[in-house]
Amino acid sequence: MNMTMDEKILVTSYNNPDVDGTACSYAYSEFLRNKNINAQAGVFGKVHKEAQFVLDKFNIKIKNAEKLINEYKKIILVDASEILRIPSKIKAEQIIEIIDHRKSEDLKKFPGAITQVELVGSCATLITERFKKEKIEISKESAILLFSAIVSNTLNFKGKLTTVRDKNMAEWLKEKVDIPEDYVHQMFSHKSKFTEPLKDVLLSDFKDFESTNGKIGIAQLEIVNVDDFINKNLLELQELLQKIKNERSVQYMFLNCIDLEKGFNIFVAIEKETKEILTSTLGINFKKNIAKTDHHIMRKEMVPKIKEMIKSKDYAFLKS
Ligand SMILES: [Mn+2]
């Protein structure tokens, strides 16, 4: 890649990035500056609660990309590669590089970008590997952000998408910065305390996906004490799922609640078809509107499987 000091480059992620998107933007821009490239990190929208926790706790500042975007012609996307989800102020032609850890069918839509997409647990792992490989000194701020991102994205290494590379890079980062004893518990507990209305909580990590039979809408929560949370809020959660389903014109709507400290998820779904699809895709059993797993499963793991299941059901329907 031909990047010189006088070309300003913005490193950013999706709107309202999680701790991975935030950490990668921050750290990768630092990595590039260390290589004499004029890169700046910026975030669009509001960072996730967990990311805000890390920023506040370690007094780290990251700029608002809305205010910067007009100054930049060249953009690097980290932890992001789906064209529909990139901030609207960015044009695909502006993207010169993409680093992500999820399969993307959109890479060809960024003709000017060099890309690294590798299916590790966290994009922060790919960024950390670059620091290590090129022996570039890492700041404490970048180290704690990247460490937090790896822990968060891999569900503290319990998630199925965790790889040895994630573990190795987290270990490497740990040597670079003093991490408080119960830091992970603090971070997870913080993201489990809600002060905003429950609807905002659900929408803060809601994503929809196209399927062959309408949109799949998945709200995901990663918190501690999931059982308690569901017991206390079930009625309201069901109402809100229905509401969001209508507002967002979603065909299949459900909530995936991941317990960060125990090894299970609880799903909440309100109608029959969605429950059937989840049951046949994931082998879970619903009692009324609730199903519990015996392991963690994250949205990004289940989406391709659910899409396939919906497709095969369409096919069966067409045949009959
Ligand atoms: Mn990520």
Side-chain angles (χ1 to χ4, degrees):
M1 190 179 3
N2 204 357
M3 294 194 266
T4 59
M5 198 58 203
D6 48 288
E7 286 180 291
K8 291 189 353 171
I9 297 166
L10 181 70
V11 185
T12 193
S13 186
Y14 293 131
N15 272 319
N16 309 323
D18 69 355
V19 62
D20 200 20
T22 308
C24 292
S25 303
Y26 188 94
Y28 193 52
S29 72
E30 175 181 308
F31 173 89
L32 293 173
R33 286 194 301 277
N34 272 302
K35 294 170 61 100
N36 284 328
I37 293 162
N38 189 357
Q40 172 73 55
V43 291
F44 285 92
K46 194 170 164 250
V47 304
H48 278 198
K49 203 164 175 166
E50 197 174 24
Q52 193 62 52
F53 169 79
V54 186
L55 294 175
D56 290 345
K57 187 167 176 73
F58 297 93
N59 202 15
I60 304 168
K61 305 262 181 286
I62 187 160
K63 292 196 167 133
N64 180 336
E66 315 273 353
K67 292 184 185 147
L68 299 175
I69 184 70
N70 294 331
E71 301 167 28
Y72 291 82
K73 288 198 191 80
K74 296 193 167 174
I75 316 266
I76 294 175
L77 279 183
V78 285
D79 196 36
S81 53
E82 285 166 274
I83 201 146
L84 285 176
R85 256 189 257 292
I86 64 172
S88 57
K89 286 187 179 155
I90 298 179
K91 293 185 207 77
E93 306 78 61
Q94 289 182 277
I95 317 274
I96 57 163
E97 184 175 16
I98 291 175
I99 305 173
D100 196 9
H101 65 117
R102 272 160 293 202
K103 243 191 224 161
S104 171
E105 283 141 29
D106 288 350
L107 292 179
K108 52 187 176 301
K109 295 177 187 161
F110 302 96
I114 53 163
T115 59
Q116 180 192 10
V117 175
E118 290 176 47
L119 304 183
V120 290
S122 147
C123 188
T125 297
L126 303 176
I127 305 294
T128 309
E129 286 175 344
R130 293 200 183 204
F131 276 94
K132 183 168 186 263
K133 190 173 165 220
E134 301 205 26
K135 296 192 170 66
I136 286 182
E137 204 181 320
I138 191 165
S139 68
K140 293 203 176 337
E141 288 78 13
S142 285
I144 191 69
L145 275 166
L146 291 170
F147 175 81
S148 308
I150 298 175
V151 167
S152 169
N153 263 216
T154 62
L155 308 175
N156 204 15
F157 311 105
K158 290 198 205 92
K160 257 211 302 209
L161 301 176
T162 310
T163 68
V164 177
R165 289 165 70 184
D166 300 304
K167 288 180 186 160
N168 288 345
M169 287 308 101
E171 283 305 315
W172 186 80
L173 289 164
K174 256 190 190 166
E175 293 161 15
K176 310 287 171 197
V177 57
D178 272 334
I179 299 170
E181 186 78 40
D182 63 340
Y183 175 65
V184 172
H185 178 73
Q186 280 181 35
M187 181 169 77
F188 286 170
S189 302
H190 177 85
K191 77 190 275 196
S192 310
K193 279 185 218 120
F194 303 121
T195 47
E196 62 275 55
L198 210 45
K199 187 178 178 191
D200 296 344
V201 171
L202 294 185
L203 288 176
S204 72
D205 195 8
F206 170 82
K207 284 185 184 164
D208 57 27
F209 304 86
E210 297 296 338
S211 85
T212 48
N213 190 36
K215 281 196 256 179
I216 310 161
I218 311 176
Q220 181 163 284
L221 287 179
E222 297 167 13
I223 56 175
V224 297
N225 297 325
V226 163
D227 277 317
D228 271 5
F229 173 79
I230 298 285
N231 284 337
K232 275 188 202 134
N233 299 295
L234 184 59
L235 281 178
E236 195 183 350
L237 285 171
Q238 293 177 146
E239 279 169 26
L240 288 170
L241 287 176
Q242 184 62 53
K243 222 182 208 165
I244 297 169
K245 179 178 192 285
N246 298 342
E247 285 174 10
R248 302 287 171 112
S249 310
V250 163
Q251 182 75 17
Y252 308 98
M253 174 79 203
F254 63 93
L255 165 67
N256 179 31
C257 238
I258 298 171
D259 195 302
L260 289 171
E261 295 185 330
K262 299 171 200 139
F264 63 80
N265 293 22
I266 291 183
F267 288 88
V268 183
I270 43 174
E271 50 351 44
K272 201 167 155 246
E273 226 194 330
T274 304
K275 287 191 259 184
E276 273 174 18
I277 284 172
L278 287 175
T279 300
S280 40
T281 309
L282 306 172
I284 51 176
N285 290 310
F286 276 88
K287 280 190 196 134
K288 294 201 171 134
N289 292 335
I290 294 178
K292 198 167 180 172
T293 61
D294 58 5
H295 61 278
H296 280 137
I297 176 153
M298 298 176 81
R299 179 169 50 205
K300 54 181 169 252
E301 292 173 66
M302 65 178 95
V303 167
K305 296 177 189 167
I306 294 170
K307 281 186 179 177
E308 270 309 304
M309 185 57 69
I310 292 170
K311 204 170 162 189
S312 71
K313 280 190 188 277
D314 288 353
Y315 181 62
F317 169 76
L318 286 172
K319 274 208 308 198
S320 66

